[in-house]
Amino acid sequence: MNGFKNAGLSERLSAAAGAKKALLEKFKAQPGVNDPVFAEREEARRAVRVAREAREAERNAARAARKAAEQEVLQAEQAELAAREALAVQELAEQAKRQVAMAAEAKAARDARYAARKARSR
């Protein structure tokens, strides 16, 4: 285990100044705005951004197309269900008409039998 350094104030100040100077040198060593390397990196970033936006637009278009297709399928299913319901209602109406007609025929037959019985008893 290392022991503590008993550095004086002047040593600490010079170490801090050296660290600041090293940081400044590191910053100055970076390429500037007019540097061709900087321009290359900016162009690469721009190309990546354009590609990302194109992929996002493609995904959004695919999502919209998929949603439209799902909507069409849903509308087709709803139309088919409505057609089936209309057919069922029509069949119920026809069945009700047949029942009314059968009830009328049965009543007419009953009335005829009743009238025949009355005619025989007279």
Side-chain angles (χ1 to χ4, degrees):
M1 200 155 114
N2 292 340
F4 290 110
K5 279 187 175 181
N6 290 328
L9 178 64
S10 62
E11 289 177 13
R12 288 184 301 200
L13 287 176
S14 66
K20 284 182 185 178
K21 188 181 243 185
L23 230 106
L24 183 62
E25 291 300 322
K26 183 179 174 185
F27 178 74
K28 284 183 179 180
Q30 290 180 350
V33 176
N34 297 330
D35 192 28
V37 175
F38 181 80
E40 276 182 31
R41 277 190 283 167
E42 280 299 309
E43 188 60 36
R45 287 181 187 141
R46 191 174 299 117
V48 168
R49 185 175 54 244
V50 167
R52 184 181 307 128
E53 289 171 357
R55 286 191 310 267
E56 185 177 347
E58 187 177 314
R59 279 194 304 266
N60 288 342
R63 186 178 302 127
R66 188 171 53 248
K67 194 170 187 176
E70 289 173 359
Q71 191 69 22
E72 283 182 21
V73 168
L74 181 63
Q75 287 176 349
E77 288 174 355
Q78 288 175 346
E80 184 180 337
L81 180 63
R84 275 194 245 138
E85 287 178 356
L87 185 61
V89 167
Q90 185 179 7
E91 288 176 2
L92 284 174
E94 289 175 3
Q95 185 179 8
K97 283 181 186 178
R98 284 192 302 266
Q99 286 177 350
V100 167
M102 286 174 42
E105 288 176 10
K107 184 176 184 325
R110 237 185 0 259
D111 289 347
R113 286 193 309 268
Y114 180 73
R117 244 184 308 163
K118 284 290 188 178
R120 277 192 308 244
S121 66
R122 281 189 193 179

